[in-house]
Amino acid sequence: MDEVLAALQATPVAQYLRTARWGYAALNTAHVFGIAVLVGAILPLDLRLLGFWPQTSRADLTRILVPVAVAGLVLAAATGPLLFAMRAEEYAALGIFRLKLVFIALGIAGALTLHRAYGLALNGASERRVAVHAALSLVCWLGALVCGRFIAFVVE
């Protein structure tokens, strides 16, 4: 595994990102923007599923916010591995980074499971079922956000 991480760090893209101020800045900005779009869509949706704004249609919110969240996830998932490659050995050794990946995997798995069972609009899903999912979703996505932010403070 160490050889794979070292090879990843040695790629031309990783080397470029470690030395190119504007290249790194653009990539990091794109990653943060993807996270902002993802969490910015998930938060109001999960709050609605927890019972906030009951007058707002669950179907209307899911129709709008689920694709927005997916777009944010795609952008963050496309840029994250490039950021990881810059310091793969260091990041892979961090417990906080591994915890971030667990939160992300659980958040994605929970969303896929719920939407596979009930469709995009969650038709037929009980209020209790969506509330439990929403609570877990909030923990996962906010946990991933906090862990990701803390990485900046534990890496020298």
Side-chain angles (χ1 to χ4, degrees):
M1 183 58 125
D2 290 339
E3 298 83 25
V4 172
L5 296 172
L8 188 56
Q9 279 185 191
T11 62
V13 171
Q15 291 175 7
Y16 166 77
L17 291 170
R18 279 193 301 277
T19 59
R21 170 191 271 176
W22 295 110
Y24 171 78
L27 181 65
N28 193 44
T29 299
H31 189 66
V32 169
F33 181 72
I35 294 165
V37 169
L38 169 64
V39 174
I42 290 292
L43 184 64
L45 179 58
D46 284 346
L47 290 175
R48 168 57 186 90
L49 297 178
L50 284 168
F52 290 77
W53 314 296
Q55 69 283 4
T56 303
S57 164
R58 183 167 76 186
D60 287 344
L61 273 184
T62 56
R63 187 181 72 253
I64 295 165
L65 295 180
V66 169
V68 171
V70 169
L73 178 61
V74 167
L75 180 57
T79 54
L82 294 171
L83 292 170
F84 174 77
M86 292 175 49
R87 298 168 88 169
E89 293 173 305
E90 195 171 355
Y91 290 152
L94 295 175
I96 195 93
F97 177 77
R98 292 191 304 270
L99 182 58
K100 174 186 173 178
L101 295 181
V102 169
F103 279 133
I104 292 168
L106 291 174
I108 292 170
L112 289 175
T113 300
L114 188 70
H115 289 289
R116 181 180 301 144
Y118 299 104
L120 181 65
L122 305 176
N123 293 327
S126 70
E127 292 299 319
R128 177 170 160 61
R129 170 82 164 122
V130 295
V132 168
H133 166 78
L136 293 173
S137 174
L138 284 173
V139 168
C140 289
W141 295 115
L142 294 177
L145 178 69
V146 168
C147 288
R149 191 62 201 120
F150 279 15
I151 290 169
F153 296 101
V154 298
V155 172
E156 294 180 17

